[in-house]
Amino acid sequence: MLPNRLLLMLFSAFLLTAAGCSHYRPAPAAFHAALQEPYRLDAGDNIRLLVYEEDDLSQTYAVDQAGYVSIPLVGLVPARGRTAQELELDIAAKLANGFLRDPDVAVEVDRYRPVFIMGEVGAAGQYLYVPGMTVQKAIAAAGGFSTRAYQGSVDITRTVNGEVMTGRVPISDPLLPGDTVYVRERLF
């Protein structure tokens, strides 16, 4: 009778331990669907504004912490959550409203907001995002895996449609600007 009771206690302890480790789940569908959507601007991005025949306006501008871009003549223009094309149309409309006749405007992302790498890597910190960056490439930029790192998958925290979500993904998964990557420690 005692061995069964001992076995039951060990099994219960195992279940409690496993339940405590299960707060990270595989990435939800919206997590990967965000990779297919057009890029949305946010604080930390820099845009390049090109206004035909207006060299003074054609410059690089930063999206500030409040999510706005400050453009001469126009003032603050909301950029957070908008695509470069949506911002382009808005700036063109504001310039056409008393400043320029039929402005020809182009907006492109000059520099994306950084990705953040934490956990078992050589040098945790923030790193410049480049289009096409995968988890593996970001970890390489952060000095590679530490000797204690679990190398099979990582946890990524990403904002999707204003909601912050975390999911466990393989290291071959692509990243988005602003993602936070957490490399876990292996158990053995």
Side-chain angles (χ1 to χ4, degrees):
M1 191 73 167
L2 187 59
N4 286 341
R5 204 176 267 174
L6 181 62
L7 184 62
L8 183 60
M9 287 175 40
L10 287 173
F11 183 69
S12 297
F14 170 75
L15 288 178
L16 288 173
T17 304
C21 296
S22 66
H23 67 280
Y24 284 113
R25 296 186 179 110
F31 196 81
H32 286 104
L35 297 168
Q36 306 305 319
E37 295 177 9
Y39 181 68
R40 303 262 172 207
L41 297 166
D42 205 347
D45 288 328
N46 282 359
I47 62 156
R48 184 176 311 129
L49 174 63
L50 302 167
V51 182
Y52 182 69
E53 293 186 353
E54 295 294 332
D55 293 338
D56 292 341
L57 292 174
S58 297
Q59 297 180 36
T60 300
Y61 299 93
V63 179
D64 67 18
Q65 290 300 312
Y68 289 89
V69 178
S70 181
I71 311 281
L73 301 177
V74 174
L76 293 176
V77 180
R80 176 174 284 140
R82 301 172 85 186
T83 66
Q85 291 74 25
E86 291 169 344
L87 185 62
E88 183 178 291
L89 293 172
D90 193 17
I91 292 171
K94 289 178 186 283
L95 286 171
N97 190 15
F99 297 109
L100 300 175
R101 185 189 318 253
D102 195 28
D104 189 5
V105 176
V107 171
E108 58 187 35
V109 178
D110 183 60
R111 189 185 71 205
Y112 294 90
R113 58 190 177 275
V115 294
F116 302 89
I117 315 296
M118 303 176 0
E120 296 297 326
V121 292
Q126 92 179 18
Y127 291 90
L128 185 65
Y129 173 85
V130 291
M133 182 177 259
T134 63
V135 172
Q136 189 172 26
K137 290 176 184 176
I139 291 170
F145 289 109
S146 75
T147 57
R148 296 182 313 252
Y150 176 71
Q151 298 181 20
S153 63
V154 299
D155 298 322
I156 296 180
T157 302
R158 174 179 293 159
T159 303
V160 179
N161 298 324
E163 181 183 346
V164 177
M165 52 182 67
T166 299
R168 189 159 287 169
V169 299
I171 63 171
S172 60
D173 260 31
L175 290 176
L176 289 176
D179 281 355
T180 299
V181 177
Y182 180 70
V183 179
R184 298 179 318 283
E185 185 177 0
R186 62 185 158 88
L187 297 176
F188 300 102

